[in-house]
Amino acid sequence: MLKQFQSVRFDDDNKKLDILMGTIGEVSYEAIEKAAVLNEEASFHGKSIPFSHQVLGGTTFLSGALEPRFYVGIKITLKDGSIRAIYISKIKTGFNTDLYHKDTQEAKEIQKMIQKRISASN
């Protein structure tokens, strides 16, 4: 069975996912230790280890000009300690925007699907 999003495709027949946006490539369900929905600071996007520069939610900013810009994604930690990234956001966003809410909702749905598959493969 294949389930596809813009950023990732789940191949349950072969027990792997294909990352289409992020660290492109295949990842076996068995190799995944955990998956977390995170926000990567826009100025470091594609320039450092995925999600090594995170923007945390829940912070109040005084002005929209000071509000951080970021990409919503999923950090996948493999059992060997390496990191893979699935980026949901195609463009940088900010907190409490329609795009942020849409991307976060999709990221949470994908994360649940990953968790379900790695639980079944252990």
Side-chain angles (χ1 to χ4, degrees):
M1 178 178 100
L2 287 176
K3 172 72 175 167
Q4 182 159 341
F5 294 84
Q6 187 170 312
S7 57
V8 66
R9 177 177 43 238
F10 291 87
D11 181 353
D12 291 338
D13 292 336
N14 295 303
K15 297 185 180 344
K16 64 179 179 129
L17 55 84
D18 296 316
I19 300 173
L20 307 173
M21 287 175 45
T23 48
I24 296 171
E26 297 179 354
V27 178
S28 164
Y29 296 161
E30 288 183 351
I32 302 171
E33 183 176 320
K34 63 182 176 178
V37 175
L38 299 172
N39 304 315
E40 181 175 70
E41 189 174 334
S43 60
F44 293 96
H45 183 68
K47 298 174 186 162
S48 64
I49 296 170
F51 302 104
S52 58
H53 297 90
Q54 298 173 31
V55 176
L56 304 177
T59 306
T60 304
F61 293 92
L62 300 174
S63 160
L66 297 176
E67 187 169 318
R69 307 303 285 165
F70 55 85
Y71 291 83
V72 176
I74 301 169
K75 177 182 178 181
I76 297 176
T77 305
L78 302 183
K79 291 177 180 172
D80 68 4
S82 62
I83 303 296
R84 301 289 185 274
I86 300 172
Y87 291 112
I88 308 303
S89 299
K90 290 173 76 174
I91 60 172
K92 56 188 165 186
T93 187
F95 290 112
N96 297 320
T97 64
D98 289 341
L99 181 60
Y100 167 74
H101 291 296
K102 178 186 152 301
D103 288 351
T104 300
Q105 182 178 6
E106 183 174 321
K108 287 179 180 179
E109 180 181 351
I110 292 169
Q111 179 197 28
K112 283 181 188 176
M113 292 175 70
I114 293 169
Q115 290 300 136
K116 179 180 174 184
R117 284 158 175 81
I118 63 175
S119 292
S121 69
N122 289 334

